Amino acid sequence: MKDKNADSFWKRYSALLAALAVSLLIAAVMTVLSVRLGERIGQGVVIRDVGGKQRTASQIGLRVMLEMERDLRNGEVPSPDLMKELRDRTTRINNTINAFYKGGTIPEEAGKKPLEPDGFSDEIVRTNQEIDKIWRPYNERIQRVLAAPAPDPALLAEAISYGRTAIVELQSKFTTLVDKTQTQNEVDSHDLTLVQNVGAGLLLLNFLFTIFVALGRLRAGDRAVAQSHKQTDDILATVKEGLFLVSSDFSIGAQMSRALPEVMQRRIEPGMSLIEVLRPMVAASTLEATRDYLGLLFGKRVKENLVASLNPLSEVPVAGGSDGRGQAQPRYLNFQFNSVQEGEGTVHLLVTVSDATERVRLTQEIAAAKTRTREEMESLLRVLSRDSAEVRFFLHRIGVVLERINDDLRQAAARRGGTDYLELVHAIFRDVHSLKSEAAALNLEMLEALAHNFEVDLIGLRDRGEVEGSDMVKMTVHLDDMFECAATIREFLDRIGGDAARAPAATTPAQRLVEGWSGLAERIAHDQGKQVRLQMQLEGLERVPAETLTALRAIGLQLLRNAVAHGIEPAQERAALGKPAAGAIAFRSADAGSRQIELSVRDDGRGIDVARVRAALAASGRYTQEQIEALSDRDAMMKIFEPGVSTAADGGDRDAGHGVGMDVVMKQVRAMAGTISMSTKVGAYTEFRIRLPVAEAKPAPAAAADGGDFQLTF
């Protein structure tokens, strides 16, 4: 991988590197030549100056000797300064000639650059030799003059005579030395200028070439960047997930996928804080956990794969979901975070957001299907513990009731106009609630759950107040589900051979009446955190016909469910009232004479508070406050038998609290031409007494629709 990167680097920047190398080479050559030519020019300047000073020194030396001769002719002693001047000038000329031979610094020119013989031209060397040849005899005569204790006129005259003869040629040679040096300096200066100009030109050309190549690379880079941006934009426009970068301060980056606002169903702009975007979408605890998790990912030496399980935004439920038609629905978003490294630190997190609603829904459906299958198997196995005759009788009854409901729905659909659908909903609600209670007593949870789901939809229609024919269509789906479930249980019983593996059958009427009641009471109490004990004292049931016994069972089931769910208090509440922890529910039946059977159901619970009944009536919205206040306590208490009236504080659950149980009781009593009475005391008890005829009886007339005598104790 490194070799490939290196090859790519050399291919991309080879021209620029070559141009840089050429520039360095030109600069180096130009520097070397300039230095060498500069040194030659500097030495030439020194030679020119020295040569000029030699020529001047020779003239001054001859002039000094002439002044000395004049003084002697005038009978004067020459000044010592003249002797010194002659000696200095002579020494300068000697030192200069020697320097041209050997190089070095001339003592009289101590501050000047030393001469280097290797740099002398042949003409300079030859001229110096010619000067030395002329100067040497002249110098010898001058030295004899300087060596005498006093100026000797004869020696002085001899030196002056020779000097006058040699001075012209000597001056010519000095002039030639200066001119040759000046000419060479001019040549060197020209060469230096040429080198600098050529070098500058080459550097300029190389610079222009570098600019050209760089611009070409820049344009190519711009094209590559533009192409890369286009590809990035195409990816961000095409990808279905939300993609964006988030910095360590949780700010959203400038680049994001086009699908991001759609996935998150809100406006997203660069620079916004991810925490603030999530604030209205997730719970406060989730938001705080998200802040901590992101901080953890930006920490050093944190492996994102090792902390992925801590991600609080994995398939997180979010608020503000919509199905695209303005209808709210649960939504789930899945956030994935990947570190963008720079060196050893994390500079950004790449965030991928996807709509996980469908995946979560499918997962939930699969889990629910597994749970439902397990519950169905458990329910079918529990069927084996029941008297198959009782179960078959219930399956027969459920079939009859469901067929009746189906016929009622068909007739209502055929009548169309003028149909009282709300009353039909109440009637179906009573039938379904009775079936649910019976299924619960027989521990047939599959049918109980289906009936409960049926009830949930019926509650929605009932509480809405206005029911249309199209609303009844959904009921057929529930009917089909219950038909299918009943058929499944029946087929299961047929396959295992009916009675082959069942528990001993309930043989007496009393046993058939309360079949499954203990288990139902125990289950409801357990779900609500209560304790109950049933007391059974059942007599006089031997001569009760099957229809009456069935009615008593349906009534008893409703009263049992209400007693456990509403009457009996939780153990702590009972302890505070000085009651035993387990609430008592007593069932008693007896021959009431006049061919009647009486069933009483009494619990030692909280009783029925008429104030709570009035509050329930107000909450139902069916009565004005004036109408409620006008009701007597007895009339207000009787309203508990109306459909939809419930004193449950929590809105009800699958066992009670939907305002239909007492409606079922009243309808059963009416259908059997019976009577019902109730007595209650707040904090002490509630008791219902139901009397039904034991002979065949016709339904009670409409005038008796308000029930029997009520014994109210408050």
Side-chain angles (χ1 to χ4, degrees):
M1 189 66 180
K2 292 183 178 180
D3 294 339
K4 291 183 179 179
N5 291 337
D7 292 343
S8 176
F9 176 82
W10 285 112
K11 288 180 180 179
R12 183 177 300 176
Y13 298 106
S14 58
L16 292 175
L17 293 174
L20 178 61
V22 170
S23 296
L24 293 175
L25 179 61
I26 293 173
V29 172
M30 187 174 66
T31 301
V32 171
L33 292 177
S34 297
V35 169
R36 294 187 63 181
L37 289 173
E39 290 177 349
R40 287 182 59 179
I41 292 172
Q43 183 165 267
V45 170
V46 174
I47 293 173
R48 183 193 63 190
D49 292 343
V50 169
K53 290 178 180 180
Q54 275 185 309
R55 181 173 57 188
T56 301
S58 65
Q59 292 175 342
I60 293 174
L62 180 59
R63 179 178 58 79
V64 168
M65 287 189 296
L66 289 173
E67 289 179 0
M68 291 173 65
E69 184 181 35
R70 184 194 61 194
D71 290 341
L72 289 174
R73 279 199 305 267
N74 294 330
E76 298 176 0
V77 178
S79 173
D81 292 337
L82 293 176
M83 293 291 287
K84 182 178 182 304
E85 181 72 18
L86 179 60
R87 183 177 289 107
D88 291 342
R89 299 298 175 178
T90 303
T91 302
R92 169 182 282 278
I93 295 173
N94 288 329
N95 290 337
T96 302
I97 292 173
N98 289 331
F100 277 113
Y101 278 123
K102 300 177 181 179
T105 302
I106 300 173
E108 293 76 12
E109 302 289 337
K112 299 294 180 68
K113 188 175 182 179
L115 297 178
E116 296 180 4
D118 293 341
F120 295 162
S121 65
D122 293 339
E123 289 183 315
I124 291 175
V125 173
R126 185 170 60 252
T127 301
N128 185 61
Q129 290 174 350
E130 291 174 353
I131 291 173
D132 186 31
K133 184 177 180 181
I134 298 171
W135 170 256
R136 192 174 300 279
Y138 186 25
N139 182 52
E140 290 175 357
R141 287 170 174 76
I142 293 173
Q143 293 301 323
R144 284 199 291 269
V145 172
L146 295 173
D152 188 338
L155 295 175
L156 184 60
E158 182 182 1
I160 292 172
S161 176
Y162 187 86
R164 286 175 173 172
T165 303
I167 192 64
V168 175
E169 187 177 4
L170 192 61
Q171 289 292 312
S172 175
K173 295 301 180 182
F174 284 141
T175 300
T176 299
L177 178 64
V178 172
D179 292 343
K180 293 295 183 182
T181 303
Q182 181 64 30
T183 301
Q184 184 63 45
N185 282 351
E186 292 176 355
V187 172
D188 290 341
S189 297
H190 177 269
D191 291 345
L192 178 60
T193 302
L194 180 63
V195 167
Q196 291 176 342
N197 290 338
V198 171
L202 291 176
L203 287 174
L204 178 61
L205 290 175
N206 192 64
F207 175 73
L208 294 176
F209 173 76
T210 304
I211 292 296
F212 176 77
V213 173
L215 289 176
R217 294 297 181 189
L218 185 60
R219 287 194 296 270
D222 289 341
R223 288 193 297 270
V225 170
Q227 184 178 7
S228 176
H229 276 302
K230 185 178 183 305
Q231 292 176 352
T232 301
D233 291 341
D234 290 342
I235 292 173
L236 293 177
T238 305
V239 69
K240 301 301 182 183
E241 292 82 9
L243 293 177
F244 62 94
L245 292 174
V246 63
S247 58
S248 58
D249 62 352
F250 311 140
S251 296
I252 295 175
Q255 294 291 325
M256 64 184 68
S257 64
R258 188 176 301 173
L260 179 61
E262 180 181 352
V263 172
M264 298 191 69
Q265 292 190 359
R266 61 189 55 245
R267 179 180 61 85
I268 306 293
E269 292 183 357
M272 295 178 69
S273 170
L274 177 60
I275 298 299
E276 295 305 317
V277 170
L278 293 173
R279 188 176 299 280
M281 301 176 64
V282 301
S285 58
T286 301
L287 191 69
E288 190 62 29
T290 299
R291 188 191 300 273
D292 295 340
Y293 181 69
L294 294 182
L296 181 65
L297 291 180
F298 276 107
K300 293 183 178 179
R301 298 183 297 275
V302 174
K303 300 296 183 181
E304 59 192 47
N305 293 334
L306 299 180
V307 298
S309 60
L310 304 178
N311 184 2
L313 297 181
S314 177
E315 296 184 352
V316 62
V318 296
S322 172
D323 61 0
R325 295 174 295 179
Q327 298 295 323
Q329 69 173 11
R331 289 187 70 238
Y332 294 84
L333 294 181
N334 185 56
F335 290 75
Q336 291 182 341
F337 300 92
N338 298 101
S339 300
V340 179
Q341 300 286 334
E342 186 173 298
E344 296 183 355
T346 299
V347 294
H348 290 96
L349 293 176
L350 175 62
V351 186
T352 305
V353 189
S354 59
D355 191 331
T357 303
E358 189 65 18
R359 182 167 67 250
V360 172
R361 185 185 65 81
L362 291 175
T363 301
Q364 291 174 344
E365 287 183 356
I366 292 172
K370 290 181 178 179
T371 301
R372 189 165 54 251
T373 300
R374 183 175 63 253
E375 291 176 350
E376 289 176 356
M377 291 300 298
E378 292 175 353
S379 182
L380 290 174
L381 291 174
R382 281 193 292 270
V383 170
L384 297 177
S385 65
R386 296 294 178 188
D387 179 2
S388 64
E390 288 291 332
V391 175
R392 288 182 183 277
F393 177 75
F394 172 67
L395 295 176
H396 171 72
R397 179 170 176 268
I398 197 173
V400 172
V401 173
L402 294 177
E403 286 289 356
R404 186 177 70 246
I405 294 175
N406 196 35
D407 289 341
D408 291 342
L409 291 175
R410 281 200 300 267
Q411 292 174 12
R415 289 194 299 270
R416 295 184 180 274
T419 301
D420 186 359
Y421 290 115
L422 185 57
E423 181 56 36
L424 180 58
V425 168
H426 287 315
I428 294 174
F429 206 159
R430 286 190 292 270
D431 286 335
V432 172
H433 193 74
S434 295
L435 293 177
K436 186 177 83 168
S437 298
E438 188 66 28
L442 292 175
N443 216 1
L444 300 177
E445 291 188 2
M446 289 189 298
L447 281 170
E448 182 188 8
L450 291 175
H452 180 69
N453 293 336
F454 201 161
E455 280 188 331
V456 171
D457 285 340
L458 289 169
I459 291 170
L461 294 177
R462 181 196 68 189
D463 294 345
R464 199 171 69 188
E466 296 181 359
V467 184
E468 300 176 356
S470 58
D471 296 324
M472 312 303 288
V473 175
K474 192 174 182 180
M475 295 189 184
T476 60
V477 177
H478 291 294
L479 288 176
D480 289 341
D481 290 342
M482 295 186 71
F483 269 126
E484 183 178 351
C485 184
T488 299
I489 297 174
R490 188 179 297 109
E491 181 180 357
F492 176 73
L493 289 174
D494 291 340
R495 287 188 177 184
I496 64 173
D499 299 336
R502 64 175 174 83
T507 56
T508 67
Q511 291 174 328
R512 290 196 297 272
L513 176 66
V514 298
E515 174 71 17
W517 287 14
S518 296
L520 177 61
E522 182 178 351
R523 195 262 296 166
I524 297 175
H526 178 270
D527 291 345
Q528 298 193 359
K530 301 178 180 180
Q531 300 177 32
V532 296
R533 53 187 176 86
L534 300 187
Q535 300 172 353
M536 303 289 185
Q537 187 176 346
L538 304 176
E539 299 175 355
L541 296 175
E542 290 76 10
R543 62 188 183 90
V544 174
E547 182 180 3
T548 304
L549 193 63
T550 300
L552 286 174
R553 178 173 173 81
I555 293 169
L557 278 172
Q558 300 304 326
L559 296 177
L560 172 63
R561 294 165 72 97
N562 276 5
V564 179
H566 300 315
I568 301 301
E569 310 93 336
Q572 291 182 346
E573 184 178 337
R574 292 179 63 85
L577 296 172
K579 296 182 179 182
I585 304 176
F587 289 86
R588 292 182 175 83
S589 65
D591 189 337
S594 303
R595 302 181 61 81
Q596 289 185 327
I597 185 73
E598 182 179 84
L599 174 67
S600 67
V601 182
R602 180 187 178 98
D603 67 75
D604 64 347
R606 56 172 58 96
I608 303 176
D609 188 349
V610 69
R612 292 186 63 186
V613 176
R614 293 181 186 276
L617 293 176
S620 70
R622 301 176 187 179
Y623 301 93
T624 65
Q625 191 62 35
E626 291 77 8
Q627 290 174 324
I628 296 174
E629 292 176 356
L631 293 174
S632 65
D633 287 347
R634 180 181 183 282
D635 291 338
M637 193 69 77
M638 287 178 60
K639 296 297 183 182
I640 67 173
F641 294 97
E642 286 189 2
V645 176
S646 174
T647 58
D650 55 0
D653 53 23
R654 69 167 178 166
D655 296 308
H658 301 305
V660 69
M662 299 310 296
D663 182 31
V664 170
V665 171
M666 179 60 75
K667 295 301 180 183
Q668 285 284 358
V669 173
R670 287 179 183 176
M672 299 301 295
T675 61
I676 180 171
S677 62
M678 180 187 72
S679 60
T680 184
K681 183 177 181 180
V682 176
Y685 72 93
T686 298
E687 182 176 17
F688 291 91
R689 293 180 179 274
I690 297 93
R691 287 193 177 189
L692 299 181
V694 296
E696 294 294 334
K698 296 181 180 180
D706 59 349
D709 296 330
F710 282 80
Q711 302 172 5
L712 302 178
T713 304
F714 301 99

